């Protein structure tokens, strides 16, 4: 019997886990999760609407911000169905194919977010280093091509994952460690040699996350050099101020990721609750806080939000 048939015969479903060892506490996670997802959906949709309707935001920097908001929205929607079903309704079973589809979208949109952050760093470098040519360099066509390249790179890197998982037999435990499906989590349950999966997963991480982190580091070294070449101190501070929102977005993405990686590598002795908490922080924190950061830092977005929610108070 083939590996594929063995997989289907032995495990039609995976079982998702809420709070390890404390299933009775899962319900108390439902309200915070709904609040987080509601904030994520509302915040990112507002960002997208404001950028669309506000003519002053029709420039490269905000087009990249729209890409980030769309990615955060998609990433949240990828994890939301199983997270809510586990913690609110105690529905823990997910079909094998649905689990594979979810892990594809979670990993794919995670890669897209990393790529969009790199594109935003390039935008800031061009704006500071070549301000007179900013609009001519980052034309609508160039921005579309950058967005398409970021998306295609992530899809190409993650696309083999479903096929690598499909070929594995799952004839022992089918209980996953989280309330959503991840490649590395499902891979550990296979009763077969998973070296190919492990090697490919490592290469994909290097190709996307590690490479993007190095590009971001080099980008900000170049940005700092460009800022220091500006004669006026006031203009230096103004140039750096335009990068603060992006720096916050980068930290929101990479700090939880590094923390989760360190705990996974060196925290074997820690409670499973800690691992679950860090994994959820990595997945949920950036989509929630990115809109908040950009709303606070962007006058046009802040003004539009005030007009919408305080219209009655402001008056005509």
């Amino acid at each position: 019997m083939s590996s594929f048939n063995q997989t289907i015969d032995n495990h039609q479903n995976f079982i998702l886990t809420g709070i390890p060892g404390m299933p009775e506490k899962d319900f108390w996670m439902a309200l915070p999760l709904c609040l987080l997802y509601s904030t994520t959906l509302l915040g990112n949709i507002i960002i997208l609407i404001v950028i669309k309707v506000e003519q002053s935001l029709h420039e490269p920097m905000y087009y990249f911000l729209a890409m980030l908001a769309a990615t955060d929205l998609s990433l949240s929607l990828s994890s939301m169905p199983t997270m809510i079903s586990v913690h609110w309704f105690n529905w823990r079973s997910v079909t094998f194919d649905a689990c594979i589809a979810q892990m594809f979208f979670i990993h794919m949109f995670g890669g897209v977010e990393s790529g969009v952050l790199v594109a935003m760093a390039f935008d800031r470098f061009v704006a500071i280093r070549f301000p007179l040519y900013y609009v001519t360099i980052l034309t609508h066509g160039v921005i579309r091509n950058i967005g398409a390249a970021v998306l295609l790179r992530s899809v190409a890197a993650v696309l083999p994952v479903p096929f690598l998982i499909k070929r594995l037999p799952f004839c022992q435990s089918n209980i996953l460690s989280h309330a959503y499906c991840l490649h590395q989590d499902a891979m550990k349950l296979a009763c077969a040699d998973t070296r190919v999966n492990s090697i490919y997963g490592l290469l994909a991480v290097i190709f996307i996350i590690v490479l993007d982190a190095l590009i971001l580091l080099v980008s900000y070294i170049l940005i700092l050099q460009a800022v220091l070449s500006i004669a006026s101190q006031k203009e230096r501070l103004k140039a750096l101020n335009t990068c603060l929102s992006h720096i916050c977005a980068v930290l929101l993405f990479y700090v939880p990721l590094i923390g989760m990686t360190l705990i996974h590598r060196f925290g074997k002795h820690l409670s499973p609750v800690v691992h679950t908490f860090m994994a959820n922080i990595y997945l949920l924190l950036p989509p929630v806080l990115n809109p908040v950061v950009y709303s606070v830092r962007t006058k046009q977005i802040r003004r539009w939000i005030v007009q919408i929610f305080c219209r009655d108070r402001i008056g005509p």
Side-chain angles (χ1 to χ4, degrees):
M1 182 181 293
S2 68
S3 295
F4 173 79
N5 289 333
Q6 188 176 358
T7 301
I8 298 300
D9 288 344
N10 285 301
H11 286 318
Q12 296 281 353
N13 302 306
F14 281 121
I15 304 300
L16 302 170
T17 301
I19 303 177
M22 295 185 290
E24 72 281 358
K25 302 293 185 183
D26 281 341
F27 178 78
W28 297 105
M29 282 288 293
L31 184 59
L33 278 175
C34 285
L35 182 61
L36 286 172
Y37 279 118
S38 298
T39 304
T40 298
L41 298 178
L42 180 63
N44 286 290
I45 289 173
I46 286 176
I47 294 287
L48 291 170
I49 293 174
V50 174
I51 292 174
K52 180 176 177 59
V53 303
E54 186 70 40
Q55 291 295 321
S56 62
L57 300 182
H58 291 181
E59 56 182 77
M61 174 182 176
Y62 297 105
Y63 290 140
F64 288 120
L65 174 56
M67 291 182 193
L68 183 65
T71 303
D72 283 337
L73 197 59
S74 301
L75 184 60
S76 295
L77 291 174
S78 298
S79 64
M80 183 172 64
T82 55
M83 291 281 280
I84 296 298
S85 68
V86 167
H87 292 290
W88 193 291
F89 301 105
N90 199 31
W91 296 341
R92 299 175 181 274
S93 179
V94 59
T95 65
F96 186 76
D97 289 333
C99 188
I100 288 177
Q102 185 182 52
M103 74 173 64
F104 170 79
F105 285 113
I106 288 177
H107 290 301
M108 190 268 287
F109 285 119
V112 171
E113 177 142 355
S114 179
V116 170
L117 291 174
V118 171
M120 296 174 81
F122 175 68
D123 165 80
R124 290 299 82 208
F125 170 71
V126 173
I128 294 172
R129 183 67 179 84
F130 307 105
L132 298 178
Y133 304 99
Y134 177 58
V135 178
T136 57
I137 292 175
L138 289 174
T139 63
H140 288 175
V142 170
I143 293 170
R144 282 195 297 269
N145 290 337
I146 290 174
V150 167
L151 178 62
L152 290 175
R153 182 194 68 157
S154 188
V155 170
V158 180
L159 189 59
V161 167
F163 300 99
L164 290 174
I165 285 291
K166 277 273 193 182
R167 71 183 184 86
L168 294 175
F170 294 89
C171 50
Q172 298 176 8
S173 174
N174 64 337
I175 301 176
L176 298 173
S177 303
H178 305 294
Y180 48 85
C181 299
L182 296 176
H183 172 244
Q184 60 270 29
D185 196 16
M187 180 183 67
K188 292 187 298 185
L189 301 180
C191 50
D193 189 350
T194 60
R195 281 179 295 182
V196 173
N197 293 64
S198 297
I199 292 171
Y200 185 81
L202 178 61
L203 292 176
V205 168
I206 292 173
F207 179 62
I208 296 180
I209 303 298
V210 176
L211 179 61
D212 286 354
L214 292 175
I215 295 173
L216 284 168
L217 179 61
V218 172
S219 297
Y220 269 97
I221 291 174
L222 296 175
I223 288 172
L224 187 59
Q225 289 177 344
V227 169
L228 293 177
S229 67
I230 300 173
S232 169
Q233 183 175 1
K234 182 179 178 180
E235 291 299 318
R236 289 182 189 175
L237 293 176
K238 183 179 178 181
L240 286 174
N241 189 54
T242 65
C243 298
L244 286 180
S245 297
H246 179 253
I247 291 172
C248 290
V250 170
L251 293 176
L252 285 172
F253 182 79
Y254 279 98
V255 170
L257 174 60
I258 293 171
M260 183 181 69
T261 303
L262 291 176
I263 286 180
H264 179 74
R265 177 67 180 82
F266 301 107
K268 304 293 186 182
H269 61 286
L270 296 175
S271 167
V273 176
V274 176
H275 291 265
T276 299
F277 177 77
M278 284 303 301
N280 289 343
I281 287 293
Y282 163 68
L283 196 62
L284 299 175
L285 193 65
V288 171
L289 293 185
N290 282 337
V292 176
V293 169
Y294 278 96
S295 297
V296 170
R297 297 285 309 167
T298 306
K299 181 176 65 176
Q300 295 94 326
I301 296 177
R302 188 169 63 247
R303 185 181 61 203
W304 197 88
I305 293 173
V306 170
Q307 288 176 349
I308 291 297
F309 291 98
C310 303
R311 184 175 296 169
D312 295 335
R313 296 182 184 180
I314 294 175

